[in-house]
Amino acid sequence: VWVASRPALKALIDLTPQRVNSVDPATEDLLRDLRAREAEVQFHLLGEVPPGYAAEDDVRQGLAIRRQLFELTRTLLLRYQALGGDAVTIVDHDFYREPQAAREAVQRFDYKAEENEVVVVAVRLPGKEWRHRKLSLVSDLARIELPSTPGGPMRAAPLPVLKDYKGEAGISSAMKSLLVTGTPVAYVLRGYSPDLDLSVDSPRGYGVLLAALARSGFDVRDFDLRGQSTVPADAAVVLLLEPRNELPDRDAQLLFDYVQRGGRVLVNYS
């Protein structure tokens, strides 16, 4: 009681499984940045797990997992709202109580019933248009496994198991990507892959990947960490393709610092 009454000693200790009521410091920094930039953030929950009872064990388990994911996501979004204050709004669309608003959201975000439960992350910077990303609670925010079962004519269907909830990683990444205005830049690191094949004609050539990135709207640039003090601020992703040479500690630290700030590094081994 004495500790709880002292504001300077106030702390949140999350003892829930997978720390579902806490967020990473990088997410807190991201929300502070959003508030500083006077951005608006909306989270739209669309879809509803079918009510009722399923006779098959695997179907019943699957529905239970979907309900659990929905509650985990709602709880996480409340944490985002608590940290983001007035900048963050949560809209839990109800197709029965507010059908008009739900229909407008369906059209706005191109939602389809077969997508089941989704969360739409929408961000608007001052003077800009709304931008959004749609995330499936099952496909994008969870890792669900189907354990193998022994063979036989009477074998039961394998029961799905929720192995990991990745809500914060998916939602925070979506928010960060929506803050990037203009053309996203993909930096290809040089100096670690002396025999890298960049041909567009060879089946092993990474030129096919780089050309596909360019067609998707990326500005693809070469980048050498040597002599640099940081990864460029406009980097949407940094690609390290088939490294053959050891990364110096300094270069590895620069990449790690970039990831800690919310950046993305793609390392492809062969």
Side-chain angles (χ1 to χ4, degrees), residues 117-128:
E117 300 78 45
V118 304
V119 57
V120 178
V121 183
V123 175
R124 179 169 66 179
L125 292 170
K128 303 292 185 180

Side-chain angles (χ1 to χ4, degrees), residues 8-27:
L9 302 177
K10 183 176 65 175
L12 172 67
I13 303 174
D14 188 357
L15 301 179
T16 57
Q18 300 182 346
R19 297 179 69 248
V20 296
N21 292 319
S22 305
V23 296
D24 191 272
T27 294

Side-chain angles (χ1 to χ4, degrees), residues 32-51:
R32 277 193 290 267
D33 181 50
L34 285 164
R35 296 181 69 176
R37 297 170 67 172
E38 299 182 347
E40 297 177 73
V41 181
Q42 292 181 353
F43 297 117
H44 296 261
L45 284 163
L46 286 162
E48 183 181 13
V49 182

